Amino acid sequence: MRSALLIGSICIVLIMLFLMTFRLGTLFTGVSDQESATINSIGQPMDILENPISLPHKAVLLVLDQTDLLTATSARFVSIGFAVAAIVLFYVFVRAKFSARITLFGSLVFCCNSVFLAIARNAGFASSTLFAACAILLALQMYSNPKGFAGKGWMCGVLIALGLFSPGAGLILLAAAAWYLRRTVQTAKVWPLLSLIPVFALPVISLAVLTYGFYKDTNTIYAWLGIPNSL
């Protein structure tokens, strides 16, 4: 049974990768306005610090830009990478609560739809927003259970710190923290101090970078909260 489930999972992963990458650079002629805006937003490192929204995504694109590898197709591959990471985080998040079979089907519902594929294949920042939501949810779930591997605190801190740069991530974190406030306080008393430090220190660093961006351009606050320019 386990071998059949493993083989089935591998086949599903291969099918998903095929759907995400099939004729990625030739299926549509030209580049959409959103993709052009994404590629043109990559300037110098200081430009990204002054507008740190979707910073992890921009950082990868900046590396490609500095090595003259940034094209519409390569930018789409970066988006696919964040989408695949979101699927993995979602799978781990659900697996902690349900059986392998339910988790597998739940992950299929999450990623096997036209909206997800459109987001994954587009060079915009939406795929990293999916990644951020899954990262924050998984980090909070891991935080609520202090037992586990030695680097669990670092992993929680990194996931939250990376997720905080995406639009709406701050509201997700605040809502989840308020919902689990009592449990969060109780769990903090159980965590070893050295493991608990990165859980809070790394997100604080991200918030400091975001605050600098808010200082340079106050409109960045609205983008970070996920408020559109035109309702």
Side-chain angles (χ1 to χ4, degrees):
M1 179 64 70
R2 291 183 177 179
S3 60
L5 184 62
L6 177 61
I7 294 174
S9 301
I10 293 175
C11 291
I12 291 171
V13 170
L14 293 177
I15 292 172
M16 285 301 304
L17 290 177
F18 172 76
L19 292 175
M20 289 182 185
T21 58
F22 174 71
R23 294 183 57 190
L24 190 62
T26 60
L27 187 60
F28 297 103
T29 57
V31 181
S32 67
D33 294 338
Q34 184 185 32
E35 291 177 322
S36 297
T38 299
I39 296 173
N40 293 331
S41 67
I42 306 303
Q44 298 301 317
M46 284 305 300
D47 297 330
I48 296 179
L49 288 177
E50 292 178 359
N51 184 5
I53 306 301
S54 302
L55 186 146
H57 200 142
K58 289 181 178 178
V60 179
L61 295 178
L62 177 64
V63 173
L64 293 177
D65 185 48
Q66 295 296 320
T67 54
D68 295 328
L69 296 175
L70 183 58
T71 62
T73 303
S74 63
R76 290 168 184 169
F77 271 108
V78 173
S79 181
I80 289 174
F82 279 99
V84 172
I87 296 172
V88 174
L89 294 176
F90 181 86
Y91 181 90
V92 177
F93 173 73
V94 178
R95 184 67 182 90
K97 297 179 178 294
F98 300 99
S99 66
R101 181 174 299 179
I102 293 176
T103 302
L104 182 60
F105 281 107
S107 299
L108 286 174
V109 172
F110 173 65
C111 65
C112 285
N113 59 82
S114 58
V115 175
F116 184 91
L117 290 173
I119 291 175
R121 291 170 59 88
N122 187 276
F125 296 126
S127 62
S128 59
T129 302
L130 286 176
F131 164 81
C134 294
I136 291 176
L137 290 175
L138 178 59
L140 292 176
Q141 183 187 76
M142 294 174 62
Y143 171 80
S144 65
N145 183 16
K147 298 180 181 180
F149 53 93
K152 197 172 188 179
W154 283 97
M155 186 171 182
C156 290
V158 169
L159 289 175
I160 296 175
L162 293 177
L164 278 176
F165 289 105
S166 289
L171 297 179
I172 295 175
L173 183 62
L174 287 176
W179 185 268
Y180 294 103
L181 180 60
R182 180 179 299 179
R183 189 172 183 178
T184 300
V185 174
Q186 293 175 348
T187 305
K189 299 177 181 178
V190 182
W191 273 81
L193 180 59
L194 291 178
S195 298
L196 194 62
I197 290 176
V199 176
F200 294 96
L202 296 179
V204 166
I205 295 175
S206 295
L207 289 175
V209 175
L210 285 166
T211 301
Y212 176 77
F214 299 157
Y215 169 75
K216 299 298 292 186
D217 184 3
T218 55
N219 291 327
T220 309
I221 299 177
Y222 299 105
W224 184 65
L225 293 176
I227 301 175
N229 294 328
S230 176
L231 295 177

